[in-house]
Amino acid sequence: FSVLYNDYSSHRLTGTTGQVYQAGNGYDCQKLTIEYNDDGTVCIRNGEGLYLDIKGGQAVNGAHLIYAPKSGSSTQKFVFNVVK
């Protein structure tokens, strides 16, 4: 599993059904599994078996992240860019 860590706040990405937020260590849903898609993108699954998604399915300015069951939505496809 992986943990997504915020370098500025020292918190990890976590959440519950329908909510995504940052918190300290200790929550099972902070254990994230990265699953690779055929097109080179990834899906991010939490410890409860839900996938990181965009509320409303639209990647627009001000959109909110949620955890949701897996669907065919392209909003569940993420690409990591490493910034040095």
Side-chain angles (χ1 to χ4, degrees):
F1 67 90
S2 299
V3 175
L4 292 180
Y5 175 80
N6 183 331
D7 195 36
Y8 295 104
S9 70
S10 300
H11 285 85
R12 281 101 176 124
L13 186 68
T14 189
T16 58
T17 303
Q19 294 183 349
V20 177
Y21 54 91
Q22 294 181 46
N25 281 329
Y27 295 91
D28 270 350
C29 53
Q30 291 176 338
K31 296 176 181 176
L32 304 172
T33 302
I34 297 172
E35 299 176 358
Y36 289 88
N37 299 312
D38 292 339
D39 61 1
T41 62
V42 297
C43 291
I44 301 170
R45 181 172 44 89
N46 71 9
E48 297 173 351
L50 298 172
Y51 290 80
L52 192 62
D53 203 348
I54 298 174
K55 187 175 184 176
Q58 296 294 320
V60 297
N61 189 22
H64 294 279
L65 293 173
I66 60 171
Y67 284 112
K70 188 169 185 171
S71 69
S73 171
S74 63
T75 59
Q76 293 177 351
K77 295 181 177 183
F78 294 88
V79 176
F80 291 107
N81 290 321
V82 178
V83 180
K84 294 180 181 181

